[in-house]
Amino acid sequence: MFYWLFYEKLFHFYTPFRLFQYSTVRTAMASITAFLLSIVLGPWLIARLRQYQIGQHIREDGPQSHQKKAGTPTMGGLLICLSIVVPTLLWANLKVPSIWVALTGLVSFGAVGLLDDYLKIRRRHNQGLTVAQKFTLEIMAALLIGVLLLGMNARGGYSTSMNVPFAKNFKPIY
């Protein structure tokens, strides 16, 4: 969004916005945004998870040392996914299809984790999805990403070429 706003729309009126064309600048800004989001939202999210008693359930027959983990807030992946998705949507060039493939992968695998944690909380048990269910959902997510990459390759929007940093004219030997 900021790439589109600052570089594509406003850079013609204010030339310092030209800086936003560089992926390194946008990556640094996205990293700072992710850091700030996790610092600001982390304590709030943990407090809400504790308030609603959304925590780990420990097996009764497990080791006694694990019992102290009971009630530890679960669903921390929400904060991680949020701290990746929001800065990406803010700072990335959203016209690049590979950004959407990466976000699709993150969100789809995050959804599997969310469903697993939700089932653990709902059942008040330490098991959410079975191994077979989780593996099936992860295979489906991977197939979705594969189909997206195949579609991009068919349109010429995906390349398997390798980028070597600091080597502008790198030619791989086959």
Side-chain angles (χ1 to χ4, degrees), residues 100-102 104-105 142-154 158:
W100 292 105
V101 172
T104 301
L143 286 172
L144 172 64
I145 295 165
V147 166
L148 289 172
L149 290 173
L150 284 173
M152 287 173 53
N153 189 30
Y158 175 70

Side-chain angles (χ1 to χ4, degrees), residues 52-68:
Y52 294 116
Q53 298 176 349
I54 299 174
Q56 285 284 10
H57 293 280
I58 307 298
R59 289 188 330 206
E60 297 296 326
D61 60 342
Q64 192 63 31
S65 61
H66 285 201
Q67 294 303 319
K68 64 183 175 187

